[in-house]
Amino acid sequence: MNVHAAAVTTAHRFDEQTSAFASDVIGDLSQQPKRLSPKYFYDAIGSELFEQITLLPEYYPTRTELGILRDRGRAISSIIPKGAALVEFGAGATTKVRLLLQQCAFGAYVPVDISGDFLKAQAEALRKDFPDLDVYPVAADFTAPFALPDAIANMPKVGFFPGSTLGNFEPHEACAFLRSAREILGKDAQMVIGVDLEKDERTLYNAYNDAAGITARFNLNVLDRINRELGGDFELPAFIHRAIYNRERHRIEMHLISKKAQTARVLGRSFSFRAGESIHTESSYKYSLERFTALARGSGWTPRESWTDKAGMFSVHALVTSD
Ligand code: AVJ
């Protein structure tokens, strides 16, 4: 945290999470080009909007991945050792993990997420529905090293990273994450990971520019969150949602574009915008099967099997640790 941000957050008596949000926002809006981290989309309102996105006709990833996990359950369970501990990196809705838990004989489930309260609620619900499963929630930032619970020390480990959340990372960050997961899970571990695939531009464009405008509300909510939590004065109607496919970099980019020259204030700081100036709020990288397996190989993992839906929209990969 920079000195100014530290002073500002101390003066406001923010809790630890809000302080981190404040210093990231101040730092990221001071960059040229301006940006905001996609991890801040997911407050209560943003998480609800994301749930709505997953049900949109244009947003194919969630239902396609669920279809793969359902249809390939046999194949997935056949490569998972009985009694293994399933470690989920970032635990949101439990729909996907429930599919795995129903189809495979796991001995324990370890959801890892920064939001401790949400984690506890989800863990309670899972304990009810899977009474024989030991659930050990870990409140931690899964992009940094963390310790696994002692109770699973002697169990084989299987990491789970669904939803193409990996796509939010820059390629070098994706590599760092996979290496870190390899360290956390230890040797002889496996990983089941969902990765969105590169495809025709129209389909990708529509998935992030839905007709009902939910993705636009999801994107704009981050400014509203800054207003609510950090006392910002962003004028929401003065920004528009833009999502484009950057083919050279294999990524969807989401931006918030300032409709006019304007200034917004956050925590005593002014941020000036030119008309048409962008805040880059998200990159969502798309992989080919070859580019993903090459990334995995370069990050301490050996691809064991890859599954896709019939149309080749989305992929689920089983990886095993190298050496
Ligand atoms: C949750 C990061 C996979 O990139 O598709 C959905 C988030 N952003 N619509 C994605 C998102 C806009 C989503 N991920």
Side-chain angles (χ1 to χ4, degrees):
M1 194 186 301
N2 64 47
V3 177
H4 179 83
V8 157
T9 56
T10 310
H12 286 79
R13 299 179 187 284
F14 286 149
D15 62 34
E16 208 180 304
Q17 279 189 34
T18 312
S19 301
F21 180 37
S23 60
D24 283 352
V25 165
I26 289 173
D28 287 350
L29 291 180
S30 305
Q31 306 279 316
Q32 207 51 253
K34 293 182 175 66
R35 61 184 190 199
L36 287 169
S37 166
K39 70 181 173 198
Y40 294 118
F41 283 141
Y42 303 93
D43 66 346
I45 294 171
S47 299
E48 169 54 33
L49 287 167
F50 181 68
E51 287 310 307
Q52 291 182 35
I53 287 174
T54 65
L55 302 174
L56 290 168
E58 298 95 334
Y59 194 75
Y60 61 85
T62 310
R63 77 176 67 90
T64 309
E65 183 178 37
L66 277 168
I68 298 170
L69 292 174
R70 198 180 302 117
D71 298 347
R72 305 306 185 114
R74 269 265 184 79
I76 298 170
S77 72
S78 76
I79 63 172
I80 284 168
K82 225 170 166 262
L86 183 66
V87 179
E88 183 169 8
F89 295 89
T94 54
T95 327
K96 291 168 193 168
V97 78
R98 279 167 186 273
L99 265 179
L100 278 194
L101 293 171
Q102 279 158 15
Q103 302 178 106
C104 311
F106 284 107
Y109 172 53
V110 182
V112 184
D113 201 273
I114 198 141
S115 162
D117 293 343
F118 187 63
L119 204 56
K120 276 191 201 127
Q122 302 279 45
E124 262 332 294
L126 274 171
R127 282 194 188 101
K128 264 199 201 111
D129 296 343
F130 297 89
D132 298 332
L133 184 75
D134 290 319
V135 183
Y136 304 104
V138 174
D141 174 354
F142 66 79
T143 60
F146 61 88
L148 291 175
D150 290 339
I152 68 160
N154 297 319
M155 300 180 182
K157 316 284 186 298
V158 179
F160 186 41
F161 197 42
S164 205
T165 307
L166 190 81
N168 269 173
F169 297 145
E170 292 300 317
H172 73 277
E173 294 171 335
C175 176
F177 166 77
L178 289 170
R179 283 188 182 288
S180 161
R182 159 79 181 75
E183 287 313 304
I184 290 162
L185 296 171
K187 65 175 173 55
D188 299 325
Q190 303 201 44
M191 185 95 177
V192 175
I193 179 162
V195 180
D196 196 12
L197 295 174
E198 199 157 36
K199 60 186 59 65
D200 71 279
E201 191 157 343
R202 175 60 37 194
T203 303
L204 285 169
Y205 181 88
N206 289 342
Y208 295 83
N209 289 280
D210 61 288
I214 309 294
T215 308
R217 282 170 56 199
F218 174 73
N219 196 4
L220 282 158
N221 175 59
V222 74
L223 297 184
D224 216 12
R225 182 177 182 186
I226 294 171
N227 289 351
R228 286 190 300 267
E229 291 186 25
L230 308 178
D233 69 353
F234 278 101
E235 188 188 326
L236 264 65
F239 288 87
I240 50 167
H241 163 72
R242 178 172 296 159
I244 53 129
Y245 187 57
N246 183 332
R247 186 159 293 283
E248 291 69 50
R249 303 185 73 169
H250 314 281
R251 69 186 198 191
I252 284 281
E253 294 176 8
M254 294 219 308
H255 299 266
L256 289 166
I257 308 291
S258 177
K259 285 190 192 167
K260 59 180 188 187
Q262 58 179 322
T263 299
R265 292 187 67 80
V266 184
L267 296 169
R269 285 232 178 165
S270 294
F271 299 99
S272 298
F273 293 84
R274 289 172 274 106
E277 187 174 349
S278 144
I279 308 172
H280 182 184
T281 52
E282 181 173 48
S283 292
S284 186
Y285 280 86
K286 308 304 172 189
Y287 288 87
S288 63
L289 293 175
E290 295 69 29
R291 272 190 299 110
F292 176 73
T293 51
L295 169 71
R297 280 199 186 87
S299 314
W301 295 90
T302 303
R304 180 165 180 186
E305 250 180 279
S306 301
W307 301 279
T308 69
D309 55 300
K310 280 209 184 69
M313 306 273 271
F314 199 92
S315 61
V316 174
H317 303 259
L319 311 174
V320 296
T321 49
S322 316
D323 57 61

